[in-house]
Amino acid sequence: MGVIVGAIVAVFVVVAGWWVVRTYNRLVRLRNQTQASWAQIDVQLKRRHELIPNLVEGARGYAAHERGTFEAVTAARGAAASGGLGVTDQAAAEDALTATLGRLFALGESYPELKADQHFSTLQAELRSAEDKIAYARQFYNSAVQSYHTALESFPGNVVAGLGGAHGRREYFEAEAVAQDVVQVRFA
């Protein structure tokens, strides 16, 4: 009888150990996925930051007296590209950059010759493509963070995370909604 109880206890210990290791490894995988997802956002943001000086220079030739706009875009780009920012601070810097880029794009509407310039149009299209990729990377990152938080907060992850220690929560990369004018449609 003692051998059977010993065997049952041994099986239970092995299964419990396997369960703890498996759960811990899942938490590590999810944490690493959030880090890799953030790295993808960082790559896309750097690509965006590299396009901006060329866009500013292209517009500067057509609208030299719009110096305030160019300086604002350059300053916002510098703040966003400075590096070492946390997720929340990076999101705020990117929101400020997006707002100043809106002012730069408005110049294209104000200056038809700038709007017609092929180089400016190409850079503008590349920047919009970069914006789309950033939005996708942001969505993927936030999904990875959500999966990680769910694993941390639900059983058995919460137990194993408590035993394992260093499994902290991650910040979501949230962008402010950009206010856009609502188009009014009226039928006569």
Side-chain angles (χ1 to χ4, degrees):
M1 186 69 137
V3 173
I4 294 175
V5 171
I8 291 173
V9 168
V11 168
F12 178 75
V13 167
V14 167
V15 169
W18 173 80
W19 171 76
V20 168
V21 168
R22 184 173 179 267
T23 303
Y24 182 81
N25 288 342
R26 180 172 181 258
L27 290 173
V28 168
R29 181 177 42 82
L30 290 170
R31 183 191 65 213
N32 290 343
Q33 186 176 18
T34 64
Q35 292 169 341
S37 299
W38 179 254
Q40 282 301 320
I41 288 176
D42 195 44
V43 165
Q44 296 304 326
L45 292 176
K46 285 179 182 168
R47 180 174 177 261
R48 176 190 191 201
H49 298 157
E50 290 170 0
L51 289 170
I52 292 170
N54 293 329
L55 192 67
V56 168
E57 282 306 311
R60 193 180 307 255
Y62 289 97
H65 62 280
E66 298 285 353
R67 183 175 178 188
T69 300
F70 301 135
E71 289 174 355
V73 170
T74 302
R77 178 195 175 269
S82 65
L85 300 175
V87 175
T88 303
D89 292 336
Q90 185 72 50
E94 294 300 328
D95 288 341
L97 179 56
T98 299
T100 60
L101 282 174
R103 290 173 42 200
L104 183 63
F105 288 155
L107 288 180
E109 299 298 321
S110 300
Y111 296 90
E113 60 277 359
L114 176 60
K115 188 176 183 179
D117 182 89
Q118 186 62 38
H119 182 69
F120 185 79
S121 296
T122 301
L123 285 171
Q124 200 172 11
E126 285 183 37
L127 195 57
R128 285 197 173 105
S129 172
E131 297 290 342
D132 291 343
K133 290 176 182 176
I134 291 167
Y136 175 77
R138 177 184 291 135
Q139 179 183 7
F140 188 78
Y141 170 78
N142 285 338
S143 178
V145 169
Q146 180 184 16
S147 295
Y148 182 61
H149 289 172
T150 300
L152 280 178
E153 295 169 2
S154 60
F155 184 80
N158 59 354
V159 174
V160 174
L163 295 174
H167 288 287
R169 294 180 58 83
R170 302 287 187 253
E171 297 177 60
Y172 287 100
F173 188 69
E174 300 174 314
E176 284 186 27
V178 178
Q180 295 184 4
D181 295 331
V182 177
V183 177
Q184 299 276 334
V185 178
R186 291 195 174 106
F187 295 101

